[in-house]
Amino acid sequence: MTGSADEPFITAVKPLVDAMGGEMVPPDEAGPDDVVLAWRGADVVAVRLPQLADSLDHILAAMERKQGKPLADLDRKAKQEVVRILEARGAFSVRHGVETVASALGVSRFTVYNYLNRDKGV
């Protein structure tokens, strides 16, 4: 997967792959749903994208790391901001997205819907 000439490319794309919860695999191990990336005319690495539900869990974990504490420990205003960011990233289009986010925030589904409606001016 990594030749010395390809190392800068792999190093450059790794943070993006990690941020989206993907996995890098050798291009010859790529499945039909993997994305093969080429560098200087040669296939270098394949990216295995996560399932949407796994992506939401990955996003929530990254947000916790960024906040430095569990999302459930945030104040109401910070939780509303988390919901706004998650909505912008499509988190609520995932099946059980509202329930997953509500659980992570330590609030009810109703509260998450209220946060969503508040942002829309409803």
Side-chain angles (χ1 to χ4, degrees):
M1 176 169 69
T2 61
S4 61
D6 303 327
E7 200 65 40
F9 177 79
I10 291 173
T11 300
V13 298
K14 186 171 182 351
L16 176 61
V17 173
D18 290 346
M20 63 185 188
E23 176 186 0
M24 295 179 13
V25 297
D28 59 344
E29 294 178 19
D33 295 328
D34 296 338
V35 178
V36 177
L37 302 178
W39 175 248
R40 297 184 176 160
D43 292 343
V44 176
V45 67
V47 177
R48 185 158 295 148
L49 301 172
Q51 298 297 316
L52 285 176
D54 295 336
S55 291
L56 179 53
D57 289 338
H58 188 80
I59 291 167
L60 289 167
M63 292 182 91
E64 276 195 349
R65 284 192 303 276
K66 185 176 180 182
Q67 294 291 331
K69 59 182 168 182
L71 297 178
D73 293 347
L74 300 176
D75 63 25
R76 183 172 54 92
K77 185 174 181 176
K79 288 179 181 181
Q80 289 171 337
E81 178 65 11
V82 166
V83 169
R84 187 193 63 72
I85 291 167
L86 291 171
E87 181 181 29
R89 294 185 73 178
F92 302 109
S93 62
V94 175
R95 184 174 181 192
H96 303 297
V98 171
E99 292 86 348
T100 301
V101 171
S103 177
L105 292 175
V107 300
S108 68
R109 291 180 314 133
F110 180 76
T111 299
V112 172
Y113 284 118
N114 280 341
Y115 292 169
L116 289 167
N117 289 334
R118 183 174 184 268
D119 282 347
K120 293 176 183 163
V122 175

